[in-house]
Amino acid sequence: MLCQALRRFGKKLVRKHPLELPVAETAPARSLSTLDLVVLGVGNTLGVSVYILAGEVARDQAGPSFVICILVAGLTSVLAGLCYGEISARVPHSGSAYLYSYVTVGELWAFITGWFLILTTFAHIGIRIWAWTLFFDNLFGNKFSLTLQETFLPQAPGVFVEILGFIIMFLLLLIMELLTRNIRQLSLVTKMLTLVKVLALGFVIISGFLKGDLHNWKLTEDDYIKAGLNDTSSLGLLGSGGFVPFGFQGILRGSATCIYAFTGFNIIVTRVELAQNPKCSIPKSIMISLFICFLVYFGVSVALTLMVPYYQLQPGSALPEAFLHIGWAPAYHFVNVGFFCSLSTKVFGNMFPIRQQVYMMAKDGLLFPVLTRIQTGTYMPILATMIIFIVATIMAFFLGFTDLLDLRSIGALLVFTLLAFIVLILRYQPERKNGGKEAEVLGENEGNEMQVQEENEGNEAQVQEENEGNEAQVQEESEGNEAEVQENRPAAESLTLQALFFPGNPTPTALSGWVVSVCSSLLVLLLTLLCLVLARWPVLLSGDPVWITVVVLLLVLITGMTGVIWRQPQSSSPIHFKVPGLPLLPLLSIFLNIYLMMQMTAGTWALFGSWVLVGFAIYFGYGIRHSQIP
C-alpha cells in the first residue's frame, strides 16, 4: 500500500501538460516578422540595466573589470538563449519557461519555475521603482529628498522622507501603467523610445573612445591620494587599484549581478502565436537580440570605465555624470533623455508578464482559482495592478537596490539551468507526439481518415467470409510473432556496461532516454558539488592535496558521465533550430549558472529560500490536489 501511494504521489509530480493545437501559421493574427521580434527583444533587454549596474558593479564590486563581468554575463545568457531557441522550436506555443517545463519535465518543476518567475518579476518592478527614484533625485541635482524634507516633512526623520519618495514613485508609475494599458499605439511608441535610447547609448560608446583615458584602467594608490581618498593606506573599500581592484572574486560577484542586464529577451517567447514563422523566427530573433545587446553593453562598459575612474561613478546616474566629468555638459542632458526613454519603455506593459504568469498557474489549478480573474473583467486587472505595485514598492523599500538585483539574477540563473537541463534530456528521448509534431501527426491522421475508413469498409465483407480455419491460423501466427518479439525485447533493452558506450540502436529508445535522464540528473548534482568546491578557490591555490583530490575526482566522474550521454543516440526529428555541441554546451550553461549563483550573498539565499518555502507550502497544500492535469 505504501509503495502504491508513493508511486501515485510521484506520478502527480511528473504529470505533463497536454498541448492544444497551435494556430495555423497562415492565420491573419500572425503579423510579427523576425525584425519586429528583434526590436521587441532589444527594447525589453537593452536600456536601464547599464545605467544602474555601472554604479553598483563597477564602483563597488569589479572596477574597470566591469567589462569582463558583462562578457561573462553575456556568454551565460547566450547559452541560455540557445536553449530557449531549441525549446521554442519544439514547443511552438506562446508562454514562458513555465509552460516549457510543464510540457517536458512535469508539474513540480513547472510550479518551481513559475514561482521563480513571479519572484523575479516582483524584483524587476521594485528595481524600476528604485531606478525612477534615483533618476529624479539625480535630475534635480540630488536634491529630491531634500526638497521633500523641506516641503512636506521638515521635522520628520530621513526614513519617512524616503518612504514618501517611494510612495510618489509608486503613484507615478501606477498612473502611467493604468493610462497606457489600453493604448493600441504602444508598439509604435515603444519603437520610438527604443530608437532614442539606442542612439543615446551609441553616443556614449563613441564619446568614450574619443575622450577615454586608458590610465583609468591602471589606477594606483597615488591616484587615490591625489583625489583626496588617502584616509586609509590599504585603500579599503576602493580595492587595490589596477584593472581588477577587487580581485577575481569581484569579477565573479559582478558577473552574477550583471545577469540582470540580459533577462529581458525571454519576452520573445510570449509572442509565438503572433510570429509569422515562429519555428524559425523565434530562435533567430532571440540570438540576434542577445548579440546586439551584448555589443552595446560591452561598448558602454568599456567607454564608461575609460571616461571616469570607477570610484567616482555615481549610483543611478553613472552615464550622465560621466559627461560632466569630461566637461561635456550638453551631452549630460541628452544621455538623461536616453535614461528616461529606457525607464519608460519598461513601464509600458510592466504588469503583463506577472499577470500572465499568475493567470496561467491559476488556470492550471496550481494557484488559487480567484487569481484567474487577474486577466479578465473590467476592474480586476486594475486591482491586480495596484496590489502588485504595492507589494513591489514594499520590497523595494525593505530589501534595497542590491538585494533586488541579486534576487532577479538568481531567479533567472535557476530558470536558465532548468532550460539547459530540459534541452539535454529532450534531445535523447524517443519520438513522441507533442508540440509541433503533434499538430503534424494529427493533420496527417485527418487526411488519411477517410481513406482508412473506405479500405476497412471494402474489406469488411471479405473478412467476414473467411472461415474459422484461417482465423485459427492467423491467431497462431500472431502468437508466434508476439513470442518472438518478447524474446528479442530484453536483449535489445538490456542495460550493460558495453551498451552504455556502444548502444546498438541508432535511434533513441526508452532505455537510452532513461540513461540520459539519470546521468543528466547526476551531472547537475556533481556540477553543484564542483562549484561549491571551486568557490573555495583560495584554498585550491594554496595546494591543499585534499581539495585538489576532490576536484580531480569530481572532474573524472563528470567526464565519464558526459561521455555516456555523448554516446547515446540523439533524436533525428527535423526542427528549425538545435543547440549545437550537445551535450557540452548545455552542461557548460549549467556549470556557469550554478557557479554564478554561488557568488550570491547569504542574505540573498535566505530571502530566496523563504520564497521557495512559501511556494512549496502552496503547491503541496493546494496545487497538487487541485491541478487540472489528470
Side-chain angles (χ1 to χ4, degrees):
M1 292 294 294
L2 179 60
C3 293
Q4 293 179 354
L6 291 176
R7 188 178 295 109
R8 288 195 300 268
F9 180 76
K11 289 182 178 179
K12 290 181 179 180
L13 298 181
V14 297
R15 52 192 171 189
K16 297 178 175 60
H17 196 297
L19 285 179
E20 299 176 357
L21 292 181
V23 180
E25 296 189 3
T26 58
R30 294 189 178 275
S31 58
L32 296 180
S33 64
T34 302
L35 179 60
D36 294 327
L37 293 172
V38 170
V39 172
L40 178 66
V42 172
N44 197 62
T45 307
L46 185 64
V48 68
S49 305
V50 73
Y51 288 89
I52 59 181
L53 285 176
E56 295 295 324
V57 177
R59 175 185 171 89
D60 301 322
Q61 296 179 6
S65 59
F66 175 50
V67 298
I68 301 180
C69 298
I70 292 293
L71 180 63
V72 174
L75 174 62
T76 304
S77 300
V78 166
L79 292 175
L82 291 172
C83 298
Y84 261 106
E86 175 164 337
I87 298 177
S88 65
R90 290 183 178 274
V91 188
H93 286 66
S94 294
S96 62
Y98 164 76
L99 176 64
Y100 296 154
S101 303
Y102 215 155
V103 171
T104 54
V105 293
E107 185 172 280
L108 176 61
W109 285 110
F111 179 86
I112 294 173
T113 303
W115 196 241
F116 289 167
L117 292 174
I118 293 175
L119 172 64
T120 57
T121 309
F122 269 125
H124 176 67
I125 299 172
I127 291 169
R128 290 290 164 201
I129 296 173
W130 260 105
W132 274 95
T133 305
L134 292 173
F135 171 73
F136 277 102
D137 198 22
N138 293 320
L139 188 63
F140 294 104
N142 298 324
K143 297 179 180 179
F144 182 58
S145 56
L146 295 177
T147 303
L148 290 177
Q149 178 97 30
E150 295 172 357
T151 305
F152 297 101
L153 302 169
Q155 305 299 327
V159 64
F160 292 103
V161 178
E162 189 174 354
I163 293 175
L164 182 58
F166 276 108
I167 292 175
I168 292 175
M169 289 302 105
F170 157 73
L171 293 175
L172 175 63
L173 296 179
L174 179 61
I175 292 172
M176 293 178 67
E177 176 71 29
L178 295 178
L179 289 177
T180 58
R181 61 187 298 266
N182 291 323
I183 297 179
R184 299 182 182 276
Q185 290 78 19
L186 272 184
S187 178
L188 179 60
V189 174
T190 302
K191 288 180 180 179
M192 294 176 61
L193 294 175
T194 301
L195 178 61
V196 173
K197 68 182 182 182
V198 169
L199 290 176
L201 294 176
F203 176 75
V204 171
I205 295 174
I206 296 174
S207 303
F209 285 100
L210 291 177
K211 298 291 291 184
D213 185 0
L214 194 59
H215 181 69
N216 289 326
W217 283 8
K218 306 174 183 178
L219 296 174
T220 62
E221 187 172 353
D222 294 335
D223 297 300
Y224 297 111
I225 295 176
K226 292 178 181 178
L229 303 171
N230 57 347
D231 54 337
T232 171
S233 58
S234 63
L235 301 180
L237 297 177
L238 298 177
S240 59
F243 183 73
V244 190
F246 298 95
F248 183 64
Q249 187 65 34
I251 294 178
L252 295 176
R253 182 72 182 85
S255 300
T257 305
C258 285
I259 289 293
Y260 168 71
F262 296 92
T263 54
F265 71 91
N266 56 359
I267 194 175
I268 295 176
V269 300
T270 66
R271 302 295 191 270
V272 171
E273 293 177 358
L274 299 178
Q276 295 175 356
N277 184 15
K279 292 182 179 180
C280 181
S281 61
I282 295 295
K284 186 184 298 184
S285 58
I286 288 175
M287 299 312 301
I288 294 175
S289 59
L290 275 176
F291 182 70
I292 292 174
C293 292
F294 166 74
L295 289 180
V296 175
Y297 280 138
F298 187 79
V300 170
S301 62
V302 170
L304 182 64
T305 52
L306 285 176
M307 283 194 293
V308 186
Y310 71 90
Y311 57 81
Q312 294 185 3
L313 295 173
Q314 299 299 319
S317 63
L319 293 188
E321 293 287 342
F323 290 92
L324 295 180
H325 180 81
I326 63 175
W328 287 12
Y332 169 82
H333 301 287
F334 175 64
V335 178
N336 259 328
V337 171
F339 191 9
F340 175 78
C341 292
S342 299
L343 290 170
S344 301
T345 53
K346 291 298 185 69
V347 171
F348 300 149
N350 225 342
M351 294 297 103
F352 176 78
I354 190 170
R355 288 205 308 258
Q356 181 71 8
Q357 185 64 58
V358 172
Y359 171 75
M360 290 174 62
M361 296 180 68
K363 185 179 178 181
D364 292 333
L366 303 184
L367 294 180
F368 308 108
V370 67
L371 296 175
T372 56
R373 290 184 288 173
I374 200 171
Q375 287 287 77
T376 60
T378 303
Y379 300 105
M380 187 62 183
I382 298 176
L383 178 61
T385 299
M386 295 178 63
I387 294 174
I388 291 170
F389 257 116
I390 291 173
V391 174
T393 304
I394 294 174
M395 290 178 61
F397 177 75
F398 284 102
L399 296 185
F401 195 42
T402 304
D403 293 332
L404 292 172
L405 287 173
D406 289 342
L407 281 176
R408 171 78 170 176
S409 297
I410 195 174
L413 288 169
L414 282 168
V415 172
F416 291 170
T417 301
L418 180 60
L419 289 176
F421 181 76
I422 291 174
V423 168
L424 192 60
I425 289 179
L426 284 185
R427 186 76 72 84
Y428 295 92
Q429 298 303 313
E431 299 293 336
R432 62 190 183 99
K433 300 177 183 179
N434 66 351
K437 290 184 67 61
E438 182 180 89
E440 181 181 350
V441 172
L442 289 177
E444 293 177 355
N445 290 340
E446 291 175 359
N448 297 330
E449 183 178 355
M450 293 301 298
Q451 180 180 356
V452 173
Q453 184 175 357
E454 292 176 358
E455 292 177 356
N456 290 337
E457 291 176 353
N459 295 331
E460 184 177 356
Q462 180 179 356
V463 172
Q464 290 179 351
E465 293 176 357
E466 293 180 352
N467 54 35
E468 295 180 357
N470 291 335
E471 291 179 357
Q473 181 180 358
V474 171
Q475 184 176 0
E476 290 177 0
E477 291 178 356
S478 300
E479 292 176 354
N481 292 335
E482 290 179 2
E484 183 179 355
V485 171
Q486 292 294 336
E487 291 176 359
N488 293 334
R489 184 174 300 170
E493 294 291 321
S494 60
L495 180 62
T496 62
L497 182 61
Q498 181 180 1
L500 288 178
F501 291 95
F502 301 98
N505 201 321
T507 59
T509 62
L511 178 62
S512 65
W514 178 83
V515 168
V516 171
S517 298
V518 172
C519 290
S520 299
S521 302
L522 292 176
L523 274 174
V524 172
L525 177 61
L526 291 174
L527 288 173
T528 303
L529 294 176
L530 178 63
C531 291
L532 285 172
V533 175
L534 293 180
R536 302 174 56 88
W537 59 271
V539 179
L540 296 176
L541 294 179
S542 65
D544 191 326
V546 176
W547 289 107
I548 293 178
T549 303
V550 171
V551 170
V552 172
L553 180 61
L554 289 173
L555 289 176
V556 170
L557 292 175
I558 290 171
T559 303
M561 290 192 179
T562 303
V564 171
I565 295 177
W566 174 63
R567 293 296 302 168
Q568 303 307 308
Q570 293 188 26
S571 172
S572 59
S573 58
I575 59 176
H576 288 76
F577 182 82
K578 289 184 178 181
V579 176
L582 236 68
L584 295 181
L585 287 188
L587 289 176
L588 177 61
S589 177
I590 293 173
F591 171 75
L592 288 176
N593 296 333
I594 296 176
Y595 193 53
L596 291 181
M597 283 189 285
M598 297 298 174
Q599 312 308 315
M600 300 297 180
T601 63
T604 301
W605 278 107
L607 292 171
F608 190 79
S610 301
W611 180 261
V612 172
L613 290 178
V614 172
F616 280 157
I618 293 175
Y619 176 71
F620 291 106
Y622 176 85
I624 194 173
R625 293 184 291 108
H626 295 82
S627 173
Q628 299 299 309
I629 309 301

